């Protein structure tokens, strides 16, 4: 991830993905492995409205989404 101060951080995240009532929530948890915040704990949460639930059942799946992301990074 590139920050607005010219620095960057690389994160190693493990993801979970749930879809309920047409809302997809992807959560990535892990740590910063290099860069400005090395060693920090990180949680990223993406929340999307699934534009076409039936597309999830096709071989190609849903091909686009839009939504918000919330990131929490706690330096140790």
């Amino acid at each position: 991830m590139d920050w607005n101060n010219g620095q960057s951080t690389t994160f190693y995240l493990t993801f979970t993905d749930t879809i309920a009532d047409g809302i997809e929530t992807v959560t990535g948890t892990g740590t910063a492995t290099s860069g400005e915040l090395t060693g920090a704990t990180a949680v990223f949460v993406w929340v999307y409205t699934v534009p076409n639930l039936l597309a999830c059942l096709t071989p190609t799946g849903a091909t686009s989404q839009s939504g918000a992301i919330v990131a929490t990074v706690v330096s140790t």
Side-chain angles (χ1 to χ4, degrees):
M1 175 172 280
D2 294 323
W3 305 105
N4 63 359
N5 64 0
Q7 299 294 316
S8 64
T9 304
T10 300
F11 295 95
Y12 179 82
L13 303 173
T14 301
F15 292 94
T16 59
D17 187 1
T18 60
I19 299 175
D21 298 324
I23 303 294
E24 181 175 17
T25 304
V26 180
T27 303
T29 58
T31 58
T33 57
S34 66
E36 183 176 22
L37 301 173
T38 299
T41 300
V43 177
F44 290 78
V45 179
W46 292 261
V47 178
Y48 302 101
T49 300
V50 178
N52 180 355
L53 287 174
L54 295 179
C56 294
L57 301 175
T58 68
T60 57
T63 58
S64 66
Q65 291 176 302
S66 64
I69 181 174
V70 173
T72 302
V73 180
V74 179
S75 183
T76 56

